[in-house]
Amino acid sequence: MNYITFREALHDFGLFSVRDIAKSFPVFDSRRLVEWQKKGYIKKLINKWYLFSDIRMTDDLRYRISNSLYRPSYISLESTLSHYNLIPEAVYSVQNVTTRKTIIYDTPAGVFHYRSIKPHLFFGYTTDRSGTMPVMLADPEKAILDYLYLNTTITTIADLEGLRINIPVLNSIISWEKLDTYLACFESAVLHKRVALLKKIHDHAHIS
């Protein structure tokens, strides 16, 4: 197996797994992976997952990597809030939710953080095809709820104001009806209180 043949078969994916290799090359010699890493052709992300070194890193690719490394998962929390410009800061790591245990992967492509939620709360995401690669991304309403649900230190309006939520963007993209529908699924009195704080911030800004 030469690298050029391998690259032509899998390069369009950007990242690839040993399972992807097996589909294209059933008798592949895994020693080639070690060889190509030493030559700088590919990078190992985590066990069984690799990335071509000459691929330009973009948000789309980073999100796709995030979706792939730990399944099931979707991008949410601060990453989605930043994606929709609901908060001003760029997020260092890619934040996800999953039904599996909480875990962090620190890889050559970035840091990927997965936080655990109950299986019945794994909803409220869509496959975003606006970029070059499809990614599973939380609806903005669900990202807000995931964030408020998992960040237990939020108890006051001041805590929420620390996020510096972009109220004009909030007004333009959030469906409060959808948010309330999603909220009911959590069956959490504490989360209802946190959402009420968010609505106070929104109402106050709207009046001002």
Side-chain angles (χ1 to χ4, degrees), residues 20 26-27 34 41 66 105-106 117 132 136 142 146 164 167 169 173 178 184 186:
D20 297 323
V27 293
V34 177
Y41 297 161
S66 190
Y105 289 131
D106 190 348
I117 59 172
T132 56
M136 292 169 61
K142 187 58 162 49
D146 287 341
R164 295 198 293 161
I167 299 300
V169 173
I173 70 171
K178 179 190 284 190
F186 283 80

Side-chain angles (χ1 to χ4, degrees), residues 25-78:
F25 306 104
V27 293
F28 182 78
D29 185 346
S30 62
R31 289 177 297 182
R32 298 288 80 78
L33 295 175
V34 177
E35 174 189 333
W36 294 338
Q37 285 179 76
K38 290 180 179 179
K39 291 182 176 180
Y41 297 161
I42 62 175
K43 300 175 183 178
K44 185 175 182 178
L45 298 177
I46 62 171
N47 189 35
K48 299 182 179 181
W49 281 97
Y50 298 84
L51 179 73
F52 287 102
S53 298
D54 63 346
I55 293 288
R56 186 176 68 87
M57 187 57 59
T58 63
D59 285 343
D60 286 343
L61 178 55
R62 192 173 286 108
Y63 288 171
R64 180 63 185 272
I65 292 170
S66 190
N67 282 168
S68 300
L69 295 187
Y70 203 59
R71 300 174 179 174
S73 66
Y74 62 85
I75 298 156
S76 187
L77 307 164
E78 296 99 317

Side-chain angles (χ1 to χ4, degrees), residues 136-153:
M136 292 169 61
L137 188 71
D139 298 338
E141 295 85 358
K142 187 58 162 49
I144 288 172
L145 292 175
D146 287 341
Y147 180 86
L148 295 179
Y149 181 68
L150 291 171
N151 286 274
T152 57
T153 58

Side-chain angles (χ1 to χ4, degrees), residues 99-115:
T99 56
R100 298 168 66 185
K101 69 177 183 180
T102 293
I103 194 169
I104 298 174
Y105 289 131
D106 190 348
T107 81
V111 178
F112 303 92
H113 192 176
Y114 303 83
R115 298 188 66 180

